[in-house]
Amino acid sequence: MRVYHERLGVPLHWWLVVTACVVLLGSMLWAGFSLTIAAVTYAGLEAIAAAILAAWSTARIEVGPDALAAGRHRLPLSQVAGASPLDRAQTAALRGPRADPAAVLLVRPWLPRAVYVEVTGRPASQPYWLLATRRPDELAAAIEQARAGAGADCRSGHAGGGDAAQPAPGAVG
């Protein structure tokens, strides 16, 4: 059962801007050649641009009962210390000058806000995760809710235990 799911699809206006850029670049490359070469140039550039945008659109964020999955990365909820939504300025700082090269970043240029996920034990391979999202408050709440549920399941010894309503120790309310 998923607690949260989001696909980070490319918005329509990006497709329109990229198509306009393909027309401009194609016109520069085609100038002075036959219409056949123009058609091949435009089709080839648009196919390349569409493939890049489609690949960017495949990224997904999922919060399940036992793990957080972002793109091709997966993190057990037992290793999540906390999650907090970030505003535009905080997200920009963690994407740029304050970014840790070892962190897991799933960011997209059309998503200005993100969620900061602190990893417990701070393994050298991933001190934190930065996940761009359209709904940062909902994502952070879903991670915290799943952490609380996973902590309760571990304490009670079975899934669906009676402690599920109590937050896990250290959970951010």
Side-chain angles (χ1 to χ4, degrees):
M1 180 181 95
R2 293 186 306 215
V3 177
Y4 179 90
H5 175 81
E6 180 178 4
R7 185 178 64 85
L8 304 179
V10 177
L12 176 62
H13 66 273
W14 273 65
W15 287 90
L16 298 174
V17 168
V18 167
T19 299
C21 291
V22 163
V23 169
L24 289 172
L25 181 61
S27 297
M28 289 174 39
L29 295 174
W30 161 62
F33 292 105
S34 69
L35 289 178
T36 303
I37 292 176
V40 170
T41 301
Y42 287 128
L45 289 174
E46 191 63 38
I48 291 168
I52 291 169
L53 292 178
W56 267 1
S57 292
T58 62
R60 298 180 189 280
I61 298 174
E62 291 187 7
V63 179
D66 61 342
L68 168 63
R72 60 183 169 83
H73 301 283
R74 187 171 168 82
L75 181 67
L77 290 175
S78 61
Q79 293 183 337
V80 175
S84 49
L86 304 176
D87 63 19
R88 290 174 183 254
Q90 293 168 321
T91 300
L94 282 174
R95 269 196 312 227
R98 291 186 43 219
D100 186 330
V104 172
L105 302 179
L106 180 61
V107 295
R108 295 294 184 257
W110 59 87
L111 296 172
R113 296 191 60 208
V115 170
Y116 177 87
V117 179
E118 184 179 357
V119 178
T120 60
R122 301 229 181 250
S125 63
Q126 44 183 270
Y128 64 87
W129 285 26
L130 184 67
L131 307 174
T133 176
R134 288 180 175 87
R135 303 181 311 265
D137 296 322
E138 289 179 38
L139 176 56
I143 293 169
E144 292 300 332
Q145 175 189 358
R147 280 184 60 228
D153 289 347
C154 291
R155 286 191 305 272
S156 67
H158 65 306
D163 295 337
Q166 298 176 358
V172 176

